[in-house]
Amino acid sequence: MATADDVRRIALSLPEAVEKLAWGMPTFRAGPNGKIFASLDDDDQTIGVKCPKEERAELIASEPAKFFVREGHDDGYAWVRVRIGALDDEEELRAILADSWRQVAPRRLLEQYPEAGSPRES
């Protein structure tokens, strides 16, 4: 079962990823001044990651034990919450974090690291 420590380790393994405290919780960004691609909730049991709003409802409906939206907080944003303990394994966590990283990474990073975040990368 994945843990908050796994989230931190995997998130920081992505190219130029940094951890920065925001709103009292750890956030992970694509570069020192980059956009947030993940946040670790204060319960250390859930993370928020980027997810296109048009895909979110289907994702939640297909796996409600894993994915959810915090009503009144995430509604207007392209984010989804993930229950860390409900994930199948570390590879699934890696794929989720890498996908979120790719959604916010600047073109420079995407071009420099075209394979970044692939399931086999550590």
Side-chain angles (χ1 to χ4, degrees):
M1 179 168 75
T3 66
D5 289 337
D6 296 323
V7 170
R8 181 171 277 111
R9 178 178 48 78
I10 293 168
L12 293 174
S13 75
L14 295 165
E16 296 188 30
V18 297
E19 182 175 342
K20 185 174 182 180
L21 197 62
W23 309 289
M25 68 181 96
T27 64
F28 302 93
R29 299 164 186 258
N33 297 313
K35 294 180 180 178
I36 297 171
F37 68 89
S39 64
L40 185 59
D41 289 355
D42 56 8
D43 64 3
D44 281 350
Q45 302 298 309
T46 57
I47 57 174
V49 293
K50 293 292 287 181
C51 179
K53 284 193 270 185
E54 58 275 4
E55 296 175 16
R56 194 168 62 182
E58 184 177 335
L59 180 65
I60 293 168
S62 70
E63 298 189 84
K66 291 180 185 178
F67 303 103
F68 68 102
V69 172
R70 198 164 45 179
E71 304 249 348
H73 187 270
D74 299 324
D75 302 334
Y77 300 98
W79 283 83
V80 69
R81 302 286 163 170
V82 181
R83 292 179 182 92
I84 301 168
L87 297 176
D88 294 335
D89 54 29
E90 191 174 296
E91 286 304 310
E92 185 176 23
L93 175 60
R94 182 180 311 283
I96 290 167
L97 289 169
D99 180 63
S100 187
W101 178 88
R102 282 190 296 272
Q103 290 180 60
V104 303
R107 179 171 292 160
R108 168 187 71 77
L109 284 178
L110 294 172
E111 289 172 355
Q112 190 173 355
Y113 301 97
E115 299 299 318
S118 67
R120 300 286 180 234
E121 186 177 304
S122 292

